[in-house]
Amino acid sequence: MASEPESPLKDKNYNLVWALHQSLENVWRLETYIKDAESQGDEELARWFRRIQENNQKAGDQGKKLLVERIQKENG
């Protein structure tokens, strides 16, 4: 089984940046899924995608704030 190569950046801040990226990418990607559901007349699915999108947006906002705080703290 192949394993992920080690990254010289792999630490708690790397993990934070990765999770932040994933949250914000999901916000962007879900916009397409919402439009697809709406174009096919499935408002229930579109609403579900919107809820997921809102949760990802909140996580992204929280992650950005946390990252800024950590960078400021580390740079004194």
Side-chain angles (χ1 to χ4, degrees), residues 21-74:
H21 172 269
Q22 292 301 310
S23 292
L24 296 176
E25 183 175 330
N26 285 342
V27 171
W28 171 76
R29 188 171 309 280
L30 282 159
E31 193 61 37
T32 299
Y33 299 166
I34 291 165
K35 289 177 183 172
D36 288 349
E38 289 173 339
S39 73
Q40 296 174 26
D42 194 337
E43 191 54 39
E44 179 184 31
L45 185 57
R47 280 193 306 273
W48 187 71
F49 285 143
R50 280 191 206 96
R51 285 194 305 271
I52 296 170
Q53 187 182 44
E54 289 169 8
N55 288 337
N56 276 271
Q57 183 65 55
K58 287 177 189 175
D61 291 343
Q62 291 169 350
K64 287 188 284 187
K65 182 179 181 222
L66 191 57
L67 183 60
V68 167
E69 290 169 356
R70 289 170 177 261
I71 289 171
Q72 288 173 343
K73 186 177 182 180
E74 288 178 7

Side-chain angles (χ1 to χ4, degrees), residues 5-11 14:
E6 285 297 314
S7 167
L9 302 175
K10 195 151 187 129
D11 63 11
Y14 172 89

